[in-house]
Amino acid sequence: MMFKKAARRSVILCLAIALASAATSLPNRQMKAHAADAYDDLRAKYVEMLTGGSSYDTSDPDVAARIAEITATASDAQTKMYRTPTRNRLWPDAALGSDSAGITFTYRHVRDMALAYRTEGSSLEGDPALKADILDALDWMNANQFYVGKSKYQNWWHWEIGGPVALNDVVALMYDELSAAQIADNMAAINYMQPSVAMTGANRMWEVQVIALEGMNAKDGAKITAALDGIDALLPYVLKGDGYYADGSFIQHTHFAYTGGYGASLISSLADILYLFAGSSWSYDDPNMGNVYQWIYDSYEPLIYKGNLMDMVRGREISRWRSQDNAASAPIISAIVRLSDIAPAPHGASFKSMVKYWLQEDPENDYLKSVSIDLVLEAKEMLSASAVVSRGELVEYRQFAGMDRALALRPGYGFGISMSSDRIGNYEWSNADNNKGYHTGDGMTYLYTSDLAQFNDNFWPTVNSFRLPGTTVLKDHAQDANTKPPSSWAGGTDMLGLYGTSGMEYVAAKDRGTTTARTLTAKKSWFMFDDEIVALGAGITSADGIATETIVENRKLNAAGNNALTVDGTTQSSSLGWSDTLVDTDYIHLAGNVPGSDVGYYFPGGTTVKALREARTGNWKQLSGAAGWSDTPYTRNYLTLWLDHGISPTNGSYAYVLLPNKTSAQVGSYAASPDIAILENSASAQAVKENGLNITGINFWTDAPKTAGLVTSYAKASVMTRETASELEVSVSDPTQDNAGMLYFEVAKNAKDLISKDGEVTILQYSPTIKFKVNVNKAAGKSFKVKFSLAGTQAPNPAPIPVPAAYEAETLPIQSMTDGVTVYNDNNASGAKKLGLINNAVGDYTEFSLDVPEAGVYGVFARIGKATSNGIYQLSINGVDQGAEWDGYWTTSELYRDLSLGTYSFDHPGSYLFRLTVKGKNPSAAQYRLMLDKFTLT
């Protein structure tokens, strides 16, 4: 695309010449010769996007409701607007001078009034007094608060994005009522605050939106072109940091899952801009546009459950009272509606199909109550169109390895898990948002059923934030925010794209606001099968002197709080305030709030469960200190079930099974004859078999040989197997995303032959047991599949893979390093290349992963090249020093030296970590570096 950008710049430098002489040769997005009203056409289209135009039926109930809401909001803003000459703000909830949010709130109030002024059917449409107030507000802000040269204070976002987004809308809506000077002054202010596209993720897309619409309002084609150029960097998939991942993850702020927060804003803004400029002289196109359509399927569609956006990907936004999960989905659904109009036909049809399903599953019409009239009209058109076929319920399993989330969508329910690791933070807390997010990233589980109000209707201000479902926690522990746990084990694998195994190693963070460190750790796994979710915990250990709890459930009840609760078939009290310690409990059943929302809980082998039925009161102000947040108290009723591991437990454990949508009788029958068998629940491995499906899930927690069920793994891994009479399928992943080498597996079955495999899988043996290895270097948590035949003619075993004659340094995968490396060409080196280790101090290291395909005792050798910068080094293998320290510096004539570093017993095939650590340097050596040619094992 470099040629395209160069062409754009030439157009901008000499617009008149370009329009006259080169229009026919410009790429699609270039400013072509156009009529003087091209900008006016764009603006008219944009105003229609905001208002719905003027050709709709104002008596349509849904349209009339939106008109009434738009009118009421504008009337309220107009009523509350300050008009005195000595005013220092325009609205009581929008302080100016210290709180930057006042900039955004002020312009949003003006936008609300401008929208009513331009909305067909509103009693305020064209109202002279309203117009006067709008213009007065614009002029006052431009003279006193938002102008060229104004110094920004507090949060940059309100100056560069929040305020400008709303101001652009106001100018577009009121364009014909504004003087040229008013338009120019307001656009100049936006240009001053937001001059260029420079950021990442959603912030970048907001920059694009602000500058593109400024260009439209200011009739500045160069601005539009420069803005749209900024989209290019958003479209490729990323491997780390902010952006979209190939597995469907979306990250913002480097290490937080934000598909439903910043990701919602990004796709909403992008879709609007693509739709707006489609068919114009600036219609956007890019080789990566296909990614945008794929994001809908991978990143957004799975996370919208019957119209509700799952909170586990919304970050701080769960603390925002205007955007609970039933409302938070609207920007994404609107984006999909916009894209359905401009996407290639197959995508467009699919998008309309999924939107129709969500709309049909929205009993309260939440979507139609919150979006622009333009989108209301299109949504209703989809609902009535027989050609648009509803997608139906989505049934699949998703492992979002890039953001430590897992999701099982089954008939009648959805189940999400929110985890964290040394890659993904536990929860974000900033700008006074998300004050009580303590354990939302600690394995919190979300069970979605037909009770679509479960996680809205004031769930977050009223739920006990110390007892979130699925978590293992220190009692009443306000855990620190913005923290990445030290463990890398968080992830899982799937089978058939329908069933999944997931897990995390939980390590408690310190107390928030203190330096008090905590020691609680736990190995936590979830096995998601056809109609049950098995939860296991092991290695639960703490020296904190605080009670440790695993929260099985914290379910919001009906308005009376009297949902029927039965324990082992016996009905319990339905009175609020009831609590009990339920000894030797096999199963529990909780009646749902609506049909299709009952939940059962089975405890294999029986256990003691603590239970509490309570009314809880809270307000949104407790969750966020942002201006305008409500302190209105809300009371909701909850049933909490938890397992008490005691104070400072050692190697504690738990096991329970969630049974969504089952009656009390069905739960009792399941407990009497469960479909699952727990094969192991230890700190080394957790394994469960689903007998009906003949599927087994296993999480291996250690880098050591370990057998669970039929599978032996030699390193940390997540595994699923599925066996039929004639086939065995295996799915594996590296949930740590740390392994730069191979995972080795053995399955205690005799395979006849190979049916299929991913390219990263190497078959080592079919008989008498199955052996294979998987290259997981840079796999980013991806699952790899292999399928074997168990019937038919026996295939011969592949020839054994020998230990390589040399491990060339420049080709070895690097597990980790403190500094860097450089490859050099050298005809005297083995393979004509050598690797420079750019270490700079004692303690610096470079660690390689060496694949050793055959166990045995080998002599270990390293060949190093002569260099005045070579330091003194120590080799370690899997963390154990190998041989003595050695000095890589010499002055004699030989160019290379072969160092004998003793013998090492490689007790199993696998990847071994060879770390070279700087121990010092010769006084004559210039630096601490090393020229490494190869390793050999003989």
Side-chain angles (χ1 to χ4, degrees):
M1 296 208 3
M2 292 301 294
F3 73 93
K4 184 157 67 172
K5 291 185 182 293
R8 288 183 203 144
R9 283 191 287 269
S10 68
V11 171
I12 296 168
L13 289 172
C14 196
L15 179 60
I17 295 174
L19 293 176
S21 63
T24 58
S25 65
L26 293 175
N28 189 36
R29 205 190 312 169
Q30 291 305 311
M31 293 173 51
K32 304 172 185 175
H34 51 254
D37 62 350
Y39 301 103
D40 299 327
D41 291 343
L42 279 174
R43 194 175 59 258
K45 182 178 180 180
Y46 187 63
V47 169
E48 185 169 343
M49 291 167 64
L50 297 174
T51 66
S54 59
S55 59
Y56 50 77
D57 179 4
T58 58
S59 65
D60 177 287
D62 295 308
V63 172
R66 286 300 295 127
I67 293 173
E69 176 66 22
I70 289 167
T71 303
T73 300
S75 180
D76 182 65
Q78 187 180 21
T79 299
K80 293 177 179 177
M81 180 178 169
Y82 295 150
R83 297 176 179 80
T84 61
T86 57
R87 59 191 171 179
N88 59 7
R89 67 173 80 177
L90 296 180
W91 277 276
D93 64 349
L96 298 167
S98 59
D99 186 353
S100 58
I103 298 294
T104 299
F105 290 167
T106 295
Y107 279 123
R108 285 178 179 172
H109 286 316
V110 183
R111 180 192 182 278
D112 289 340
M113 296 194 301
L115 183 61
Y117 184 81
R118 290 296 305 271
T119 294
E120 178 80 11
S122 169
S123 59
L124 293 175
E125 181 187 7
D127 183 81
L130 182 62
K131 170 187 169 182
D133 284 336
I134 294 168
L135 299 188
D136 176 49
L138 279 180
D139 290 343
W140 189 88
M141 285 294 290
N142 189 247
N144 295 281
Q145 293 293 331
F146 199 80
Y147 53 84
V148 174
K150 173 68 176 180
S151 296
K152 304 172 190 176
Y153 52 82
Q154 209 189 35
N155 190 338
W156 66 270
W157 188 90
H158 296 289
W159 297 94
E160 299 177 22
I161 293 173
V165 165
L167 177 54
N168 265 323
D169 286 359
V170 174
V171 172
L173 289 163
M174 301 300 297
Y175 192 89
D176 293 335
E177 309 290 356
L178 300 175
S179 68
Q182 287 173 314
I183 295 169
D185 289 346
N186 281 284
M187 293 304 100
I190 289 178
N191 181 66
Y192 175 77
M193 299 294 179
Q194 183 58 272
S196 62
V197 178
M199 301 187 77
T200 61
N203 291 326
R204 185 180 188 87
M205 190 59 227
W206 274 319
E207 290 177 322
V208 169
Q209 177 183 347
V210 167
I211 296 170
L213 294 182
E214 177 206 335
M216 176 191 74
N217 284 330
K219 298 194 173 184
D220 186 338
K223 274 282 181 186
I224 296 174
T225 300
L228 298 185
D229 280 352
I231 296 174
D232 299 354
L234 292 170
L235 304 189
Y237 287 108
V238 301
L239 299 176
K240 63 179 181 178
D242 292 356
Y244 292 92
Y245 290 68
D247 66 12
S249 301
F250 178 85
I251 297 296
Q252 187 82 35
H253 293 169
T254 309
H255 49 249
F256 291 104
Y258 256 121
T259 316
Y262 288 96
S265 298
L266 192 159
I267 198 66
S268 174
S269 176
L270 176 61
D272 278 349
I273 291 299
L274 294 177
Y275 177 84
L276 172 62
F277 289 98
S280 77
S281 300
W282 298 273
S283 183
Y284 182 85
D285 194 15
D286 187 90
N288 287 315
M289 266 301 296
N291 291 351
V292 176
Y293 307 130
Q294 196 60 42
W295 297 343
I296 302 304
Y297 303 114
D298 294 338
S299 298
Y300 295 104
E301 182 183 19
L303 293 166
I304 298 178
Y305 188 81
K306 296 187 177 182
N308 289 6
L309 180 59
M310 294 186 177
D311 283 339
M312 68 178 182
V313 292
R314 298 211 300 123
R316 303 192 328 265
E317 296 197 13
I318 62 172
S319 67
R320 299 178 181 178
W321 64 279
R322 291 188 179 94
S323 185
Q324 299 182 60
D325 71 351
N326 56 326
S329 61
I332 297 175
I333 296 175
S334 297
I336 297 172
V337 171
R338 294 293 190 209
L339 291 173
S340 75
D341 290 331
I342 61 174
H347 292 306
S350 294
F351 296 166
K352 291 179 188 296
S353 176
M354 65 179 74
V355 170
K356 185 167 187 173
Y357 171 75
W358 291 326
L359 295 174
Q360 290 174 334
E361 294 294 317
D362 181 7
E364 302 298 325
N365 288 327
D366 289 319
Y367 180 76
L368 299 181
K369 294 175 182 177
S370 64
V371 298
S372 70
I373 293 174
D374 184 56
L375 288 166
V376 170
L377 299 173
E378 185 154 7
K380 290 173 70 71
E381 188 176 318
M382 287 183 188
L383 282 169
S384 63
S386 59
V388 178
V389 179
S390 175
R391 182 205 66 194
E393 190 169 19
L394 191 63
V395 177
E396 65 179 22
Y397 178 83
R398 291 275 183 165
Q399 192 78 48
F400 297 105
M403 59 181 180
D404 291 352
R405 300 292 188 267
L407 173 63
L409 297 173
R410 301 298 303 160
Y413 73 88
F415 181 78
I417 311 170
S418 174
M419 300 173 286
S420 53
S421 67
D422 63 0
R423 302 174 302 274
I424 299 298
N426 57 351
Y427 72 102
E428 187 180 43
W429 177 47
S430 67
N431 298 327
D433 266 349
N434 205 20
N435 290 336
K436 294 186 177 183
Y438 314 127
H439 299 291
T440 50
D442 296 341
M444 181 181 178
T445 57
Y446 297 77
L447 179 60
Y448 291 87
T449 64
S450 56
D451 178 14
L452 297 181
Q454 180 61 218
F455 296 106
N456 56 64
D457 183 35
N458 302 296
F459 172 84
W460 288 106
T462 55
V463 71
N464 185 340
S465 297
F466 298 117
R467 285 180 171 163
L468 298 179
T471 61
T472 298
V473 296
L474 297 171
K475 184 178 180 181
D476 297 334
H477 176 214
Q479 185 170 247
D480 201 13
N482 308 320
T483 298
K484 291 187 295 181
S487 173
S488 61
W489 212 122
T493 193
D494 76 284
M495 180 57 66
L496 304 175
L498 295 174
Y499 315 108
T501 293
S502 198
M504 70 173 290
E505 181 176 12
Y506 172 64
V507 180
K510 70 180 181 67
D511 293 353
R512 195 164 83 184
T514 76
T515 59
T516 304
R518 295 302 178 185
T519 65
L520 174 62
T521 61
K523 309 288 177 60
K524 300 173 66 67
S525 292
W526 296 267
F527 304 87
M528 290 149 277
F529 298 121
D530 52 353
D531 62 351
E532 73 261 277
I533 302 107
V534 183
L536 298 184
I540 301 171
T541 300
S542 166
D544 296 306
I546 301 173
T548 299
E549 304 175 336
T550 291
I551 315 306
V552 176
E553 185 61 279
N554 201 339
R555 203 85 180 149
K556 184 151 62 72
L557 304 176
N558 61 30
N562 62 358
N563 303 51
L565 180 73
T566 57
V567 178
D568 292 338
T570 301
T571 301
Q572 305 297 306
S573 170
S574 61
S575 300
L576 290 169
W578 168 84
S579 66
D580 202 353
T581 298
L582 309 169
V583 180
D584 294 330
T585 298
D586 288 323
Y587 70 92
I588 296 175
H589 178 267
L590 175 64
N593 295 326
V594 298
S597 65
D598 288 11
V599 188
Y601 311 87
Y602 162 56
F603 301 91
T607 194
T608 297
V609 182
K610 291 192 173 182
L612 171 65
R613 188 190 295 263
E614 65 175 336
R616 294 184 56 83
T617 300
N619 64 68
W620 288 94
K621 192 72 172 177
Q622 294 167 331
L623 304 186
S624 177
W629 257 234
S630 171
D631 59 1
T632 301
Y634 297 96
T635 299
R636 296 294 182 268
N637 304 313
Y638 289 86
L639 189 282
T640 310
L641 304 172
W642 72 95
L643 310 175
D644 188 348
H645 301 291
I647 295 173
S648 297
T650 299
N651 205 30
S653 64
Y654 65 81
Y656 62 89
V657 183
L658 296 179
L659 300 167
N661 299 339
K662 291 188 184 296
T663 65
S664 183
Q666 289 172 327
V667 174
S669 296
Y670 186 98
S673 181
D675 289 342
I676 60 98
I678 298 173
L679 306 181
E680 181 159 350
N681 185 21
S682 74
S684 298
Q686 292 171 315
V688 178
K689 181 177 181 181
E690 216 287 355
N691 298 313
L693 298 172
N694 210 9
I695 290 176
T696 298
I698 312 169
N699 284 331
F700 293 98
W701 294 102
T702 63
D703 284 325
K706 173 64 182 176
T707 300
L710 298 176
V711 180
T712 298
S713 176
Y714 294 88
K716 297 172 182 176
S718 186
V719 179
M720 293 193 81
T721 66
R722 172 179 172 268
E723 186 177 351
T724 68
S726 60
E727 294 179 358
L728 173 71
E729 185 171 0
V730 186
S731 175
V732 305
S733 77
D734 167 28
T736 72
Q737 302 186 36
D738 283 343
N739 195 326
M742 300 284 181
L743 291 176
Y744 278 74
F745 300 97
E746 183 173 4
V747 184
K749 298 289 292 186
N750 176 47
K752 297 300 184 180
D753 207 344
L754 176 69
I755 296 174
S756 63
K757 72 179 183 68
D758 287 336
E760 293 82 359
V761 177
T762 300
I763 307 301
L764 303 175
Q765 179 177 289
Y766 295 120
S767 176
T769 60
I770 298 168
K771 295 181 180 180
F772 64 94
K773 66 179 180 178
V774 183
N775 185 351
V776 293
N777 187 28
K778 300 180 180 178
K782 177 183 176 181
S783 293
F784 297 98
K785 312 296 176 63
V786 57
K787 185 185 293 186
F788 300 95
S789 171
L790 301 179
T793 303
Q794 180 68 59
N797 284 330
I801 299 173
V803 172
Y807 292 90
E808 298 290 351
E810 68 276 5
T811 66
L812 288 173
I814 295 176
Q815 180 77 21
S816 61
M817 58 184 171
T818 53
D819 297 277
V821 296
T822 301
V823 176
Y824 298 95
N825 295 319
D826 185 347
N827 290 331
N828 294 305
S830 174
K833 294 180 184 295
K834 59 188 177 183
L835 188 69
L837 312 188
I838 315 301
N839 293 318
N840 297 301
V842 172
D844 287 359
Y845 66 87
T846 306
E847 185 169 68
F848 303 93
S849 179
L850 274 65
D851 178 27
V852 183
E854 293 184 358
V857 178
Y858 295 91
V860 180
F861 296 85
R863 190 182 194 215
I864 63 174
K866 181 179 181 180
T868 59
S869 59
N870 282 355
I872 298 172
Y873 277 77
Q874 171 71 60
L875 173 67
S876 65
I877 301 178
N878 283 358
V880 178
D881 284 350
Q882 177 66 22
E885 296 178 10
W886 40 270
D887 191 345
Y889 177 86
W890 69 85
T891 59
T892 52
S893 61
E894 65 265 45
L895 297 178
Y896 286 89
R897 284 184 175 177
D898 292 296
L899 306 178
S900 176
L901 302 175
T903 60
Y904 186 86
S905 178
F906 297 87
D907 56 6
H908 60 82
S911 291
Y912 289 77
L913 301 180
F914 281 47
R915 176 177 290 198
L916 291 171
T917 302
V918 177
K919 292 297 183 176
K921 72 178 184 68
N922 188 296
S924 299
Q927 297 180 49
Y928 296 90
R929 302 183 178 189
L930 184 68
M931 283 296 177
L932 179 64
D933 185 13
K934 65 179 180 179
F935 291 107
T936 55
L937 303 178
T938 60

